[in-house]
Amino acid sequence: MMNLDEIYIDIMRLIKEAGSMIRERTYKSREANLKSCDIDLVTEWDQKVEKLIIDGISSKYFDHKFIGEEGVGGTKIQLTETPTWIIDPIDGTMNFVHGMPHSCISVALVVNKITEIGIVYNPFIEQLFTARRGKGAFLNGGPIKVSTEKELAKALVMIEFGTSRDPAKMDAVLKNVTHLTPLVHGIRCLGSAALNGCMVALGAAEIYYEFGIHCWDIAALDLIVREAGGVTIDPAGGPFDLMSRRVLCASSMELAQKIAKELTQFYPECD
Ligand code: IPD
């Protein structure tokens, strides 16, 4: 029998430790290595944070599996029924490299393919978003709720440009910006998928969508948004698939379906 209360205390301790580790580093070095292309970055701190969390969890929970952005756990991306931690050690690596204080550690625990814990922690401005299934969503310990706005014309929409220069993907991104700008209240982009989603959970924005993200970018935010009373669906309007590399979260299903109808779709290769 899993003791989720105990697991939650353990992961919070590790995340706080990881946060202290990276908080000091952001302005010190702009060094980064490239992954899939010149805007897909990794730093030594991404790898250190992922290792700290994986080592900390696996020293106590021997059967738990890991899907981490940097592949420190060595496992290939395969979500099974086994308790699995989905980890983005630094979401918003580009911001981190530039010293922009909008990066976070994003961690989710998925058991039997159901997300039980979601944590998004921005240690630079001390924003800790947390959720456990059925228990609500919180910012720094205080409950949060999505906005009640139902009009697209009054909705603030979080978007991203992503970490790929694929021309077909960029075409879809830019078409959507052009089409949506006159239809919505405003468009914003924080440079971190997880923090964008948390703005919807907080009620500070109504919608966030993106094509091309990975499961580690969105696993935690999905639970946080739903526990704050919002919805996560596929950007074409169907059910959300964590591995599809497509996400649309909104403060209500009504608003989610309204924007889904307006979007030029892009279908990346799945995780
Ligand atoms: C990226 C950021 C970015 C989003 C990309 C993600 P990373 O994550 O969340 O805002 O547009 O899709 O891959 O690489 O900084 O962990």
Side-chain angles (χ1 to χ4, degrees), residues 32-204:
N33 293 316
L34 307 184
K35 296 199 289 183
S36 61
C37 69
D38 64 332
I39 53 168
D40 188 11
L41 310 178
V42 59
T43 71
E44 60 173 308
W45 299 102
D46 295 69
Q47 285 152 343
K48 282 182 175 154
V49 167
E50 191 166 309
K51 186 168 178 343
L52 186 151
I53 294 171
I54 293 178
D55 288 353
I57 291 291
S58 51
S59 66
K60 185 164 171 190
Y61 304 101
F62 306 121
D63 59 330
H64 288 198
K65 291 198 175 337
F66 302 91
I67 296 174
E69 177 172 18
E70 311 312 339
V72 175
T75 13
K76 71 181 184 65
I77 298 175
Q78 194 184 23
L79 189 59
T80 63
E81 311 291 313
T82 311
T84 302
W85 293 89
I86 303 185
I87 305 168
D88 191 340
I90 302 181
D91 183 51
T93 306
M94 176 75 84
N95 285 348
F96 178 72
V97 166
H98 285 261
M100 182 174 284
H102 291 295
S103 310
C104 60
I105 300 164
S106 173
V107 174
L109 174 63
V110 183
V111 184
N112 293 320
K113 299 196 175 170
I114 294 171
T115 308
E116 295 287 350
I117 294 174
I119 302 169
V120 170
Y121 179 39
N122 177 348
F124 306 103
I125 56 170
E126 240 359 281
Q127 282 187 323
L128 174 66
F129 293 92
T130 54
R132 283 180 58 186
R133 184 167 66 98
K135 296 187 184 238
F138 300 84
L139 168 60
N140 296 339
I144 53 172
K145 281 270 164 233
V146 293
S147 139
T148 53
E149 183 56 62
K150 295 287 186 310
E151 293 302 314
L152 205 47
K154 294 275 177 60
L156 195 55
V157 181
M158 310 303 297
I159 65 153
E160 278 300 329
F161 294 90
T163 50
S164 134
R165 292 199 195 270
D166 173 9
K169 149 90 188 295
M170 284 316 297
D171 187 47
V173 169
L174 297 175
K175 271 193 179 125
N176 283 323
V177 173
T178 307
H179 179 64
L180 290 178
T181 301
L183 300 184
V184 303
H185 215 191
I187 293 186
R188 299 288 182 271
C189 171
L190 283 182
S192 153
L195 290 174
N196 285 333
C198 286
M199 290 305 114
V200 176
L202 185 59

Side-chain angles (χ1 to χ4, degrees), residues 8-27:
Y8 185 74
I9 291 168
D10 289 330
I11 190 62
M12 281 306 306
R13 183 180 43 77
L14 290 166
I15 285 181
K16 283 288 187 164
E17 195 181 324
S20 310
M21 191 163 96
I22 58 173
R23 189 185 294 119
E24 303 305 317
R25 305 291 156 183
T26 180
Y27 301 101

Side-chain angles (χ1 to χ4, degrees), residues 206-218:
E206 277 72 25
I207 295 166
Y208 160 57
Y209 71 85
E210 189 171 347
F211 307 108
I213 31 72
H214 292 276
C215 59
W216 45 78
D217 298 308
I218 52 172

